Amino acid sequence: MTALRLKEPPPCQIKTGSPQVWGAGGWNIFHHCGVARSLQSWGMLSNPSMRLGTSAGALFVVLLENGYTPQEIFDICLRMKSEANDSANLLTGMRLPTPATMYGDIMALCSALLSGKFDNPWKLYARMQTPDALQLFIGGGFSLRPHFAKLVHELDLHPTERMILGACDFFSREWVPFSMADGNLSTQEDLIYALTVSGSPPWVVQPHWYWDSKALRLRLLTDGAMFHYNPTQFFNESCVVSCFRRATRFPREWKNWFHLYVSAREIFFPVAGDNRYVDPVRHLVIENGRADVAALNGGISDDTCRDMERTAFDTSQQVVGEAFASGRLCDCD
């Protein structure tokens, strides 16, 4: 009698041109910096066929595609973390219905109607800057749009053909990509919008309306991690994936009640769900993450951020080295 044996799937074959997926994870973006520095040392960073990013990974993709080095991105993120803890700076992100904002929306909508370029009222509704009751209920009074607008213009960031930035429909949980190929990522304004929706977790930050011209429907878009933290299913080939583990312990470093709140949510009930799994046989998975650092805990110190970057570099060096030794990495420089 012959025993049946499961056939082992063939290991992935990674090339320097393999697609890269940079996962969601908030301030885990410092881990991305370490992984990128490692990939750079192996000659694997600069020539992927595509770069896909969700949430913090979307911002990382945009910075890489605009020529910023891993060290420069690390410095940019340190500055962003410092600004995120500045209460005066946070006020610029408050997006509430006021007479002034509603008047501005009315004038903008009238101008759009008179231009004759909009034949669907839902398209116009998606343009409104004043949040409605549903947006306020899901995300409160804070929006990331002013902060991403400032960043995009200050760093002169632009879309490229290789970038795919992912968001998620809050109601249907469908994947909504932004890319040149999809026809919705061609200008700096498009880039600001894509970064905003891709990095806006529900119950923390306001979602934004979007008129989907392909599906002909109005969508309410939130953080791409709601669909998947590291979506690899859109590629027919093996990918290099930088992803993160979920925090499981309360933080040792925090600065205000918000940091404790988001830490507790990630431990017990993640705001964007916990769909993180990536097949380690099909893809080259470089996983990092600290048990005591939640994705949205911006109260961590600069020293902790540097330690995260170094740890991610060491982890990536080990993973890539083992892949090279086993023959999974076939054309590394």
Side-chain angles (χ1 to χ4, degrees), residues 26-191:
W27 295 113
N28 277 301
I29 195 170
F30 293 107
H31 284 119
H32 277 333
C33 295
V35 172
R37 184 162 65 92
S38 169
L39 295 180
Q40 187 178 52
S41 73
W42 286 93
M44 297 174 60
L45 182 65
S46 60
N47 296 309
S49 58
M50 295 295 291
R51 283 188 173 122
L52 181 150
T54 57
S55 196
L59 174 60
F60 197 80
V61 163
V62 171
L63 292 170
L64 282 178
E65 282 293 296
N66 279 267
Y68 286 90
T69 67
Q71 182 58 53
E72 288 172 335
I73 297 174
F74 181 86
D75 294 336
I76 290 168
C77 292
L78 276 185
R79 189 191 73 192
M80 290 174 58
K81 182 176 69 71
S82 175
E83 292 175 349
N85 292 314
D86 182 352
S87 57
N89 185 64
L90 286 174
L91 289 175
T92 63
M94 296 307 293
R95 188 169 173 263
L96 298 166
T98 66
T101 61
M102 288 187 282
Y103 175 77
D105 271 337
I106 292 172
M107 297 304 295
L109 294 178
C110 289
S111 176
L113 284 170
L114 291 174
S115 71
K117 295 180 180 178
F118 293 88
D119 56 355
N120 190 307
W122 293 116
K123 291 182 183 179
L124 296 177
Y125 191 74
R127 288 168 59 102
M128 293 184 64
Q129 296 300 305
T130 303
D132 56 31
L134 186 58
Q135 289 173 285
L136 289 171
F137 172 72
I138 294 172
F142 184 76
S143 170
L144 288 174
R145 182 182 176 86
H147 299 280
F148 277 124
K150 177 184 176 184
L151 189 72
V152 165
H153 291 302
E154 280 186 353
L155 301 181
D156 194 29
L157 303 176
H158 296 271
T160 69
E161 292 183 354
R162 291 193 303 185
M163 67 172 64
I164 303 173
L165 313 181
C168 180
D169 186 311
F170 179 79
F171 295 108
S172 68
R173 296 300 195 268
E174 292 176 287
W175 172 253
V176 181
F178 288 81
S179 70
M180 286 189 175
D182 288 292
N184 55 5
L185 189 63
S186 57
T187 67
Q188 280 191 313
E189 187 60 31
D190 293 338
L191 185 59

Side-chain angles (χ1 to χ4, degrees), residues 79-321:
R79 189 191 73 192
M80 290 174 58
K81 182 176 69 71
S82 175
E83 292 175 349
N85 292 314
D86 182 352
S87 57
N89 185 64
L90 286 174
L91 289 175
T92 63
M94 296 307 293
R95 188 169 173 263
L96 298 166
T98 66
T101 61
M102 288 187 282
Y103 175 77
D105 271 337
I106 292 172
M107 297 304 295
L109 294 178
C110 289
S111 176
L113 284 170
L114 291 174
S115 71
K117 295 180 180 178
F118 293 88
D119 56 355
N120 190 307
W122 293 116
K123 291 182 183 179
L124 296 177
Y125 191 74
R127 288 168 59 102
M128 293 184 64
Q129 296 300 305
T130 303
D132 56 31
L134 186 58
Q135 289 173 285
L136 289 171
F137 172 72
I138 294 172
F142 184 76
S143 170
L144 288 174
R145 182 182 176 86
H147 299 280
F148 277 124
K150 177 184 176 184
L151 189 72
V152 165
H153 291 302
E154 280 186 353
L155 301 181
D156 194 29
L157 303 176
H158 296 271
T160 69
E161 292 183 354
R162 291 193 303 185
M163 67 172 64
I164 303 173
L165 313 181
C168 180
D169 186 311
F170 179 79
F171 295 108
S172 68
R173 296 300 195 268
E174 292 176 287
W175 172 253
V176 181
F178 288 81
S179 70
M180 286 189 175
D182 288 292
N184 55 5
L185 189 63
S186 57
T187 67
Q188 280 191 313
E189 187 60 31
D190 293 338
L191 185 59
I192 293 167
Y193 183 84
L195 285 170
T196 300
V197 293
S198 182
S200 295
W203 319 118
V204 177
V205 179
Q206 283 180 11
H208 289 259
W209 293 106
Y210 170 68
W211 172 253
D212 190 333
S213 58
K214 290 184 178 180
L216 297 179
R217 56 183 287 197
L218 190 67
R219 296 182 183 273
L220 188 60
L221 298 188
T222 58
D223 199 298
M226 286 194 71
F227 176 81
H228 198 289
Y229 279 71
N230 321 286
T232 57
Q233 56 267 57
F234 304 106
F235 297 103
N236 293 323
E237 54 191 305
S238 300
C239 303
V240 178
V241 185
S242 177
C243 59
F244 310 117
R245 291 180 289 272
R246 174 178 168 182
T248 56
R249 296 203 306 264
F250 278 96
R252 291 181 296 175
E253 297 178 324
W254 52 277
K255 292 187 176 179
N256 53 50
W257 67 267
F258 175 75
H259 300 148
L260 290 177
Y261 165 71
V262 293
S263 296
R265 284 299 302 263
E266 182 163 329
I267 294 169
F268 300 110
F269 189 50
V271 294
D274 198 34
N275 192 9
R276 300 171 183 264
Y277 178 76
V278 179
D279 185 350
V281 175
R282 176 171 169 75
H283 305 286
L284 183 66
V285 180
I286 306 170
E287 187 180 46
N288 287 284
R290 288 174 50 138
D292 62 334
V293 176
L296 299 180
N297 180 7
I300 55 179
S301 66
D302 290 358
D303 286 341
T304 296
C305 297
R306 295 185 184 95
D307 182 66
M308 291 163 67
E309 194 275 346
R310 286 192 298 267
T311 301
F313 174 82
D314 293 340
T315 299
S316 181
Q317 289 291 89
Q318 179 180 351
V319 171
V320 176

